[in-house]
Amino acid sequence: MDAENETREECAAYSALARWYDGFTRDVPYMEFADYYCTLLCRSGKARMTLLDLCCGTGTMTLLLARRGHTMIGADASPEMLSLAAEKAIQADAERFAAPLLLCQAADELDLYGTVEGAFCSLDGMNYLPPETLPETLRRLHLFIEPGGVFAFDIHDPACLRARSGGVFVDETEDALCLWRGDFDEEENALIYGIDLFRRADGQNWRRAFEEHIEYAHTPEKLTALLERAGFTDVTLHTDGPQHEMGRLFLSAVNLPH
């Protein structure tokens, strides 16, 4: 790579990275996640439900569940990620299943047009929510999930986040290279990633973008207390889900009447 032919830009999280996100996460077992979340959410035995995919990103999970017959709503704070989800949703017409409703909303500003029968937040989306936004996020989920409906999500075990401090991770595709450098900030109680993304601009030139990502080390105990305070019950920790061997934890909770 020729440094003289490189320009650098600083971007908000999941802006420059959005276009390349699916390529960099091609090793994620999405089908396993979809199967597991269906098991957690469909406690009533209903085959088809109205579900919310909170922090839906590029919509891979949203579309997987839509193809299974669920009526899907996807919400995400990144317009760039949501734009890619909308492109994927165009496939719904060709494949003859209901296209999801996509909303550009931060989790703590969630404002649905009605209620849903269940909700989930996959692939550590909850780790990206700062501690101060969690109470309002859960309050809004309590408001929009029907009584008896389930909210399920996964997080990284806090010990695993701490273990990544000082690590350097590399992802690449044919036209992009992504370098992740993680440092755990004890004061913030969060793993802060500095991400350099090198994108091929043409045959010789590369464009460099920088993003900072923060994943907070939420503990199951703290999340359980917040869920119960927001109006959920039967909070359950699951340690047998996809990537459990990598420290991924799942929690589910049943919504109480409003």
Side-chain angles (χ1 to χ4, degrees):
M1 183 181 302
D2 187 348
E4 295 183 357
N5 291 328
E6 174 198 321
T7 58
R8 186 178 189 272
E9 57 183 315
E10 297 209 9
C11 308
Y14 288 116
S15 52
L17 184 61
R19 178 184 170 189
W20 310 99
Y21 179 81
D22 286 342
F24 291 145
T25 58
R26 56 193 178 277
D27 59 336
V28 174
Y30 284 107
M31 291 296 292
E32 293 181 31
F33 275 92
D35 290 341
Y36 196 76
Y37 273 112
C38 282
T39 299
L40 295 179
L41 295 170
C42 301
R43 291 172 46 148
S44 63
K46 294 180 64 174
R48 298 182 178 183
M49 304 172 66
T50 300
L51 300 174
L52 168 68
D53 183 356
L54 184 67
C55 305
C56 67
T58 64
T60 299
M61 287 285 291
T62 319
L63 270 293
L64 281 176
L65 270 69
R67 289 189 179 96
R68 298 180 183 206
H70 298 291
T71 300
M72 296 301 302
I73 300 172
D76 199 276
S78 167
E80 293 84 2
M81 296 284 273
L82 210 60
S83 176
L84 292 169
E87 291 179 14
K88 293 180 184 178
I90 295 173
Q91 303 171 20
D93 290 333
E95 298 181 37
R96 297 187 179 181
F97 62 88
L101 171 65
L102 299 174
L103 304 173
C104 190
Q105 296 179 348
D108 61 339
E109 297 176 353
L110 184 70
D111 190 9
L112 304 184
Y113 300 101
T115 58
V116 294
E117 295 170 270
F120 65 96
C121 184
S122 63
L123 294 165
D124 49 283
M126 290 288 285
N127 285 114
Y128 275 87
L129 303 184
E132 63 270 18
T133 69
L134 290 175
E136 179 62 14
T137 297
L138 297 176
R139 187 191 73 81
R140 288 174 179 263
L141 286 165
H142 168 65
L143 177 65
F144 290 114
I145 297 174
E146 295 179 5
V150 174
F151 174 48
F153 59 92
D154 60 79
I155 59 170
H156 285 302
D157 186 320
C160 291
L161 285 181
R162 284 184 169 84
R164 295 184 182 182
S165 186
V168 178
F169 314 95
V170 180
D171 285 311
E172 62 179 326
T173 65
E174 183 177 345
D175 295 315
L177 175 69
C178 188
L179 300 176
W180 304 61
R181 298 180 304 279
D183 290 295
F184 196 87
D185 187 316
E186 290 293 344
E187 184 175 349
E188 291 288 337
N189 192 34
L191 183 66
I192 301 176
Y193 291 105
I195 300 178
D196 280 296
L197 176 66
F198 298 89
R199 301 163 288 167
R200 191 186 297 277
D202 53 43
Q204 294 183 338
N205 298 318
W206 291 77
R207 183 179 297 276
R208 180 186 179 192
F210 176 81
E211 296 185 2
E212 184 176 86
H213 292 221
I214 303 176
E215 291 203 53
Y216 296 90
H218 304 312
T219 66
E221 295 78 13
K222 178 65 174 179
L223 291 167
T224 296
L226 290 173
L227 283 161
E228 292 175 343
R229 194 176 306 157
F232 291 87
T233 188
D234 294 338
V235 182
T236 305
L237 174 65
H238 308 270
T239 58
D240 60 348
Q243 298 184 336
H244 63 89
E245 72 283 355
M246 300 167 61
R248 192 175 296 277
L249 306 174
F250 290 76
L251 284 91
S252 64
V254 179
N255 198 27
L256 290 169
H258 302 157

